[in-house]
Amino acid sequence: MLYKLRQRVGRLVPRNTFVRGVLAMVGGTVGTQAIMIAASPILTRIYTPEMFGLAAVFVGFTAIFGTLATWRYELAIPQAENDQAAGNLALLCFALSLCLFVTTSLALLFFKVELAALFNLDAIADLLWLIPVYVLTIGISQILTYWHYRKKQFSAVAKAAVSRNAGMVVLQLIFYPFGAAALVTGQFFGQLVSIGTLLCGSAKLFRQKKDVAVIKANARRFRKYPIFSTWSGLTGGAAQQAPTLMFAALFSPVQAGLYSLAFRMVSLPGALVGSAVANVFLPHAADAYREGKLGDLLLKVHSILVPIAIPAVVVLVLLSPALFAFVFGSEWREAGSYAQWLAVMLYANFIFGPVSTSFGIMNKQDAGLLLYVSLLVASLTSIWIGATFFQDTLATIALYSIANAMLYFLALIWLHLQVGSTVVALLKPLACSFLRAIPMALPLLLVVNLTLPLWSVSILVAISIFFTFLYYLPLLKQLRQSKGDNLQEPVLP
């Protein structure tokens, strides 16, 4: 009986290797985010926005420096011609991570007081020494993660992500009386748990023969990663973390905390699906590029990503303030207003981010660097203008979101033009998806703008849910019917 049940479950899983990989990553990411979603209403009631802001600034620094940990050589691990070359690249990455650890430790030794004063971090000044250690763990995690990507062991990466968030949340819940310090150390503890999980499946990596000549040869071969991708990642990470850091410096840690929660919640569609697609896309895109089929893969992935997040965007734009106040507590309602604007930018990032690794695959790292420099300039400029002339956090977030969304869409168009796609091919699924989203959006518009009895609200919400189901049905059917190694384009009526 169990055998028959297993057979039936197996028939439900698509045979397409790309889709199976995405589903494995999505499954892990869903588990990861489910932990955060379940814990967030508790955490937001035992920690204040200021505490969240202090922890967000700490994470912001580690995220920015983390892009320098391995000088992006980890991206080349899936592309190496054999496991020995990949193992030597991993050793190179580890050596670079140790160098950054020493450098950041020395910098903190001399500038810790000034750093704490500039970003209002006095409450966690004694924990800033964790930044270099955390950055080192980021480098190790990246090495192990991309080794698993090379071996197409996506489920192992998913398990590590789940263990990271589980460890982080457990520590933050147990030690909440310590305030922001518990939030910070929880992040660090979760990273250690994740590394431990990844190490369990990495024995073959450590058995690879180490050869200085091979390390030098691969360092030269993939030199465009440190020359261009490192700075692309640094500027991209700085652009993403700039609001948190600048809100803490120009406004207060409270505004930084409100923003960090809004950003995290609005990022869920990207975290659930976009990152999973990106991680599976990389090794498949490398094969497609060698076969001259990257353009087809890009279009097919685009036509899948475009419709996925639109229902979430509709809900966020229409209902965020009320949802945030209900789920996280009344003091977080302002974060819901931030989320309404952030939804615009993060939707653009959702459909661009997963395919952004194509810059490296196509040896267009210089174009990727230009994009991320532009994003950083746009982020810094828009936030400075909002803080200086409007002196209002919401207006600042609106400027920031619109400027970045425009750049993401322009970059997406440029990327597809490089592989022979047309603007019409990109806009068609976008237009179709928005038209199909109208029936699910109209009932919610009535709920938001009219004062209605509870029974009317219930009926309108039920209607919206029904049309959401109809919206996703064609995409689900097409993914289920995908067979073989070619990812078929979803049918968009």
Side-chain angles (χ1 to χ4, degrees):
M1 190 170 190
L2 288 175
Y3 177 75
K4 290 183 179 179
L5 180 61
R6 186 177 178 181
Q7 278 189 320
R8 291 180 181 179
V9 172
R11 284 196 292 267
L12 294 175
V13 179
R15 300 176 187 175
N16 183 295
T17 56
F18 185 95
V19 176
R20 288 172 69 93
V22 170
L23 290 178
M25 292 301 298
V26 168
T29 311
V30 167
T32 301
Q33 297 304 323
I35 293 170
M36 290 305 303
I37 292 171
S40 290
I42 303 174
L43 294 175
T44 53
R45 286 172 169 81
I46 60 178
Y47 293 102
T48 65
E50 181 180 13
M51 294 174 184
F52 268 90
L54 292 169
V57 173
F58 172 88
V59 172
F61 280 120
T62 59
I64 292 172
F65 286 111
T67 59
L68 291 173
T70 58
W71 289 82
R72 308 299 277 179
Y73 271 118
E74 82 279 2
L75 295 175
I77 291 176
Q79 301 179 55
E81 63 272 12
N82 54 54
D83 286 349
Q84 182 185 355
N88 281 273
L89 278 169
L91 182 61
L92 173 62
C93 290
F94 182 69
L96 292 171
S97 297
L98 282 177
C99 291
L100 184 62
F101 168 76
V102 174
T103 304
T104 50
S105 297
L106 290 173
L108 271 180
L109 183 64
F110 292 104
F111 300 108
K112 187 182 79 170
V113 175
E114 290 79 5
L115 184 69
L118 178 61
F119 293 97
N120 299 308
L121 301 177
D122 293 335
I124 59 168
D126 293 336
L127 293 175
L128 294 181
W129 63 268
L130 273 176
I131 291 177
V133 185
Y134 194 99
V135 169
L136 177 62
T137 64
I138 289 176
I140 296 172
S141 178
Q142 289 171 343
I143 295 167
L144 297 175
T145 296
Y146 278 85
W147 171 261
H148 283 290
Y149 289 158
R150 173 182 178 82
K151 310 307 290 184
K152 295 185 171 59
Q153 296 170 342
F154 302 110
S155 60
V157 179
K159 290 176 183 176
V162 172
S163 67
R164 180 183 64 244
N165 272 20
M168 177 184 70
V169 167
V170 167
L171 190 142
Q172 290 173 343
L173 289 174
I174 293 175
F175 295 99
Y176 76 90
F178 292 94
L183 288 174
V184 170
T185 52
Q187 296 276 351
F188 179 67
F189 179 72
Q191 187 76 345
L192 291 179
V193 174
S194 173
I195 289 175
T197 305
L198 288 170
L199 282 170
C200 294
S202 304
K204 191 174 181 179
L205 171 63
F206 299 104
R207 290 199 298 265
Q208 300 305 315
K209 182 180 178 181
K210 307 304 184 290
D211 189 322
V212 175
V214 175
I215 292 175
K216 290 181 178 179
N218 281 281
R220 288 192 298 269
R221 176 187 172 191
F222 296 106
R223 62 185 179 276
K224 282 194 174 183
Y225 282 110
I227 294 174
F228 295 108
S229 294
T230 294
W231 304 111
S232 298
L234 180 63
T235 52
Q240 187 179 78
Q241 301 300 329
T244 302
L245 301 179
M246 293 184 73
F247 289 155
L250 299 175
F251 294 103
S252 74
V254 174
Q255 310 309 126
L258 293 169
Y259 169 82
S260 68
L261 181 71
F263 186 88
R264 184 196 305 170
M265 292 299 108
V266 177
S267 300
L268 280 178
L272 290 172
V273 180
S275 61
V277 173
N279 295 331
V280 181
F281 173 81
L282 178 61
H284 285 80
D287 295 337
Y289 182 69
R290 285 190 289 267
E291 298 168 5
K293 299 177 181 179
L294 181 59
D296 294 335
L297 181 61
L298 282 173
L299 269 182
K300 292 167 184 176
V301 172
H302 175 75
S303 61
I304 289 176
L305 288 174
V306 162
I308 286 177
I310 286 182
V313 171
V314 169
V315 171
L316 287 168
V317 170
L318 296 178
L319 304 178
S320 283
L323 286 174
F324 272 64
F326 175 75
V327 175
F328 305 114
S330 57
E331 63 181 335
W332 296 92
R333 177 178 286 273
E334 187 177 351
S337 299
Y338 298 173
Q340 289 177 304
W341 283 105
L342 289 173
V344 177
M345 177 193 73
L346 289 171
Y347 177 68
N349 184 41
F350 175 79
I351 60 177
F352 168 74
V355 298
S356 61
T357 52
S358 299
F359 285 116
I361 292 169
M362 297 164 56
N363 288 319
K364 298 286 186 180
Q365 289 95 335
D366 50 349
L369 176 59
L370 178 61
L371 166 65
Y372 291 113
V373 169
S374 301
L375 285 169
L376 178 59
V377 172
S379 299
L380 296 176
T381 304
S382 59
I383 294 170
W384 179 81
I385 290 173
T388 304
F389 295 99
F390 295 99
Q391 298 181 351
D392 179 77
T393 312
L394 186 60
T396 302
I397 288 176
L399 286 174
Y400 164 74
S401 180
I402 293 171
N404 279 267
M406 292 175 62
L407 284 172
Y408 281 129
F409 277 119
L410 289 174
L412 183 69
I413 291 172
W414 182 89
L415 187 62
H416 280 264
L417 290 177
Q418 297 303 302
V419 291
S421 301
T422 64
V423 176
V424 174
L426 290 177
L427 294 180
K428 182 180 176 182
L430 194 63
C432 290
S433 298
F434 273 103
L435 288 174
R436 292 171 54 222
I438 291 175
M440 79 176 78
L442 286 177
L444 296 180
L445 275 173
L446 295 176
V447 170
V448 171
N449 293 291
L450 298 177
T451 303
L452 300 170
L454 181 59
W455 66 268
S456 298
V457 172
S458 301
I459 291 174
L460 289 172
V461 170
I463 293 172
S464 181
I465 293 173
F466 173 72
F467 280 110
T468 302
F469 172 76
L470 293 182
Y471 174 92
Y472 279 122
L473 196 57
L475 181 63
L476 293 173
K477 284 183 176 180
Q478 189 64 35
L479 287 177
R480 173 65 189 91
Q481 293 168 0
S482 296
K483 296 180 180 181
D485 290 328
N486 296 317
L487 185 64
Q488 297 182 17
E489 183 176 356
V491 176
L492 294 172

